[in-house]
Amino acid sequence: MADPMTGMLELSDLRDDIDTVIVAGIDMYGRLFGKRMPVRSFQRILGEGLHVCTCVYAWDVDQDMDTLKVEFAGAHTGWQDFRLVPDLTTLRRAAWLEGTAICLADSVDENTGEPLPVAPRTILRRQVQALGDKGLTAYTATELEFHLYRGTPDELRANGYRNLEPTTLIRSDYAIGAGNAMEPFFREVRKALEASGIPVEVAQAEYGLGQWEINLEYSDAVETADRHVLFKSAVADLARAHGMTATFMPRPLSDGMGSSCHIHASLRGADGSTPFYDAEADRTASTPLRNAVGGVLDRVGDLMLFYAPTVNSMRRIISNDFAGNGLTWGFDNRTTTCRLITGGPDANRLEMRLPGADVNPYLASAAVLGSMRDGMARQIDPGPPCTGDGYAEQHGELPITLGDAAEKLEQSLFAATTFDKEVVSHYATVARHEWLQFLRSVSDWDRDRYLETI
């Protein structure tokens, strides 16, 4: 019998107040997809899994499968199926939905039963395993910010997403009063998350108008990514139920604050050791920790697409919205790309501040862990830490368009050997498609700037 206080379930718990189970995979954009079924149907499909069309890994963010062409699937393959095999270690209540449990699933080949290489959960699992082969376990946490607007998604869409009304009208970073005003909603969110096995660390109002942040407790890397995607789903669903819209766009307004997804990462040895801590080192940052930072910074340009997967991602990164600046790092320095938090064996970690709230947590975490492992293997020295304003100097080392990020990923030998050529080609093709869709689109900005003046 599972502990009802944690929200995690065993098969024997699927009775009484639970009548529906959602089986969900993770798509390329970090979104849930899958099917709902009665409990008896869920128990029947546990061994084989669910058959799902490969279109979910072959269409773009808008589900256009006519113009996006990838080798993995399409008309040339007959739009074949793959299988979603439930991972029972993830079975939990979806406490924000009535009478519902949710079980995340791994995507496997229909014929061989092998994990699909392009599936985000597969990509992260392989980086976790690569560290495990060296006797190391990766622990991560993702800090997600989001904007909350009044009006449901349907209402905002009908209005062309114009004249958005934020849930705070003045800057309210850390402000308890602003939090009190929205507490009936956020108390429900926290309670639903806790009851769903998604433990909350802290919550607060943020600097941007209508901007909020909820931090979850850290866990092993796959569990953290699982909690991340469930968190986003719960917040979006509850916001809609309360007549509001939650968006995880990194920069929803030109003159507003960007929303981040800072990724914290640490390692622990099989014997319980903490390789990122050295009591004799400067500020306790061990050589492996510094090498890990060196690896993250050395490979960030190659892996930019995993940290900034949309056109909108770059609008935050090229701002001064605490998104880092080039290949910079420092101790407790929020103006750098990689911030070190040190002070104790269990606390020492690096914080990758580049990603925005739109990241796929499996891909971004895989990028951090793969780069850390590479940095430690090559013993990369990150150079001296930044001790002042990381934005004081201009750094041009990183791609600033989605097209450039796609090219860097596809040309990277490191990415090909670390994540597999098929994975690199697939995600680069998807990003290049998205970039071309953007370039072909004439926007309000174009008309406002050029219609009369050119």
Side-chain angles (χ1 to χ4, degrees):
M1 177 71 67
D3 181 354
M5 297 300 291
T6 69
M8 304 306 294
L9 302 174
E10 296 178 0
L11 282 175
S12 59
D13 297 308
L14 296 179
R15 62 179 190 273
D16 301 330
D17 60 334
I18 295 177
D19 53 60
T20 300
V21 181
I22 297 172
V23 176
I26 314 299
D27 74 4
M28 295 184 293
Y29 312 98
R31 304 175 303 188
L32 298 176
F33 69 87
K35 301 181 181 182
R36 284 175 166 81
M37 62 193 68
V39 169
R40 70 174 186 281
S41 298
F42 173 70
Q43 292 171 331
R44 189 169 60 244
I45 61 93
L46 286 177
E48 181 181 358
L50 287 174
H51 298 269
V52 177
C53 178
T54 46
C55 61
V56 299
Y57 291 123
W59 57 30
D60 68 11
V61 70
D62 211 23
Q63 293 198 353
D64 176 4
M65 55 187 178
D66 293 325
T67 59
L68 174 57
K69 307 296 182 184
V70 293
E71 288 296 320
F72 170 72
H76 61 287
T77 68
W79 292 111
Q80 78 277 24
D81 274 355
F82 69 95
R83 287 185 289 127
L84 274 181
V85 178
D87 177 355
L88 287 178
T89 67
T90 72
L91 182 63
R92 65 208 333 130
R93 290 181 181 274
W96 66 97
L97 301 172
E98 184 178 358
T100 301
I102 189 165
C103 188
L104 298 182
D106 289 307
S107 300
V108 304
D109 185 271
E110 173 78 358
N111 299 311
T112 67
E114 291 297 312
L116 288 186
V118 301
R121 220 162 178 255
T122 303
I123 294 169
L124 178 55
R125 280 189 187 280
R126 287 180 172 171
Q127 294 311 306
V128 168
Q129 183 58 54
L131 286 167
D133 291 343
K134 297 183 178 298
L136 298 170
T137 299
Y139 291 89
T140 61
T142 56
E143 294 183 24
L144 264 177
E145 297 171 338
F146 58 95
H147 283 78
L148 189 63
Y149 295 108
R150 302 191 188 279
T152 66
D154 288 347
E155 291 167 343
L156 268 55
R157 187 183 307 110
N159 199 37
Y161 303 108
R162 303 293 188 273
N163 303 314
L164 298 175
E165 182 183 352
T167 45
T168 55
L169 299 178
I170 59 173
R171 291 173 180 166
S172 303
D173 200 7
Y174 296 111
I176 297 300
N180 290 346
M182 291 295 296
E183 180 60 3
F185 169 72
F186 280 105
R187 182 169 182 265
E188 184 176 339
V189 169
R190 294 194 306 274
K191 288 176 64 178
L193 293 173
E194 290 279 334
S196 304
I198 308 170
V200 173
E201 184 79 29
V202 295
Q204 68 172 82
E206 263 291 347
Y207 188 82
L209 303 188
Q211 190 179 41
W212 303 85
E213 179 176 338
I214 297 178
N215 297 160
L216 307 178
E217 291 183 6
Y218 80 93
S219 187
D220 68 82
V222 175
E223 173 65 14
T224 288
D226 289 347
R227 292 175 182 177
H228 177 121
V229 294
L230 292 169
F231 164 81
K232 288 180 68 174
S233 184
V235 169
D237 289 347
L238 288 169
R240 183 185 296 108
H242 282 260
M244 296 182 290
T245 297
T247 179
F248 293 86
M249 279 182 69
R251 200 172 182 84
L253 297 172
S254 297
D255 57 353
M257 192 71 176
S259 289
S260 68
C261 174
H262 302 149
I263 298 176
H264 296 247
S266 63
L267 297 175
R268 196 165 299 164
D271 58 356
S273 60
T274 51
F276 280 179
Y277 179 80
D278 180 354
E280 303 301 319
D282 177 37
R283 300 187 73 161
T284 76
S286 68
T287 296
L289 175 53
R290 291 171 184 263
N291 292 157
V293 171
V296 169
L297 294 179
D298 191 53
R299 300 303 189 182
V300 65
D302 288 5
L303 304 181
M304 190 70 163
L305 187 59
F306 288 167
Y307 298 130
T310 69
V311 173
N312 191 253
S313 305
M314 300 298 184
R315 305 199 193 285
R316 170 182 165 273
I317 288 172
I318 63 175
S319 73
N320 286 356
D321 289 356
F322 296 98
N325 183 27
L327 307 184
T328 55
W329 73 281
F331 292 97
D332 195 16
N333 189 331
R334 287 182 170 84
T335 69
T336 61
T337 295
C338 201
R339 172 185 175 225
L340 264 62
I341 299 149
T342 58
D346 294 326
N348 276 23
R349 61 194 185 274
L350 65 81
E351 177 190 39
M352 178 54 162
R353 297 180 59 81
L354 187 70
D358 60 341
V359 291
N360 183 322
Y362 301 88
L363 302 182
S365 297
V368 169
L369 298 184
S371 300
M372 285 169 44
R373 180 167 55 86
D374 178 62
M376 291 187 293
R378 293 195 291 140
Q379 298 182 336
I380 298 177
D381 182 353
C386 175
T387 57
D389 183 0
Y391 290 103
E393 297 181 8
Q394 292 298 314
H395 294 269
E397 304 97 337
L398 304 180
I400 61 171
T401 73
L402 194 63
D404 290 342
E407 293 303 316
K408 286 282 288 184
L409 181 72
E410 193 157 49
Q411 294 170 12
S412 170
L413 178 61
F414 167 75
T417 55
T418 303
F419 301 104
D420 188 86
K421 290 181 180 179
E422 179 183 352
V423 169
V424 167
S425 176
H426 188 82
Y427 281 91
T429 299
V430 171
R432 194 177 297 110
H433 163 83
E434 186 75 2
W435 179 239
L436 288 175
Q437 295 298 99
F438 169 73
L439 291 178
R440 290 170 178 148
S441 176
V442 179
S443 68
D444 288 344
W445 184 89
D446 293 75
R447 285 182 286 271
D448 291 342
R449 195 166 184 88
Y450 301 127
L451 196 144
E452 284 187 66
T453 58
I454 292 296

